[in-house]
Amino acid sequence: MRFVFECVECGGHYLPPEDMVYPDGPASPVWCTACQGVKRAAGVREDPLLARVALAAARAALAGRIAEAAEAAEQPARSDVRPSRPPRSRRARSGPGGVRSKLG
């Protein structure tokens, strides 16, 4: 499983490479590729504290997804079981049973 980040600038979700390196430089845990290019061109560097928080949040989310997958694998699949008794028919619920017995 891989980290999924949310861009601080535009709010979009992005999936950087596993080694966090793009062909033109390191991947940012704070900005998506489009916002990172704009910020780099403007000469703005990412806040290291914000980058550490983003990485920690991504690791926690990944650990949660792995734990959910392991928990789902542990639970046995429920077999298709028929009910213990058949459902009542519509006719049986349409009126009192005593009236029908007196008619016939």
Side-chain angles (χ1 to χ4, degrees):
M1 297 199 148
R2 294 179 51 194
F3 294 139
V4 177
F5 293 97
E6 181 177 358
C7 179
V8 174
E9 193 69 27
C10 67
H13 291 86
Y14 62 99
L15 187 68
E18 287 186 37
D19 57 357
M20 294 295 288
V21 177
Y22 290 121
D24 61 340
S28 170
V30 179
W31 297 313
C32 64
T33 55
C35 294
Q36 184 178 4
V38 171
K39 295 290 184 181
R40 184 179 294 152
V44 178
R45 297 186 60 179
E46 69 183 26
D47 183 16
L49 179 62
L50 195 57
R52 279 186 265 160
V53 169
L55 280 170
R59 284 188 186 112
L62 180 62
R65 284 184 294 192
I66 290 172
E68 286 176 4
E71 184 179 304
E74 287 178 6
Q75 295 176 352
R78 209 176 138 191
S79 62
D80 189 19
V81 179
R82 291 185 58 144
S84 59
R85 63 179 186 183
R88 295 180 184 172
S89 66
R90 275 185 45 199
R91 185 172 182 177
R93 286 183 274 136
S94 62
V99 175
R100 285 209 179 98
S101 63
K102 293 179 183 175
L103 293 175

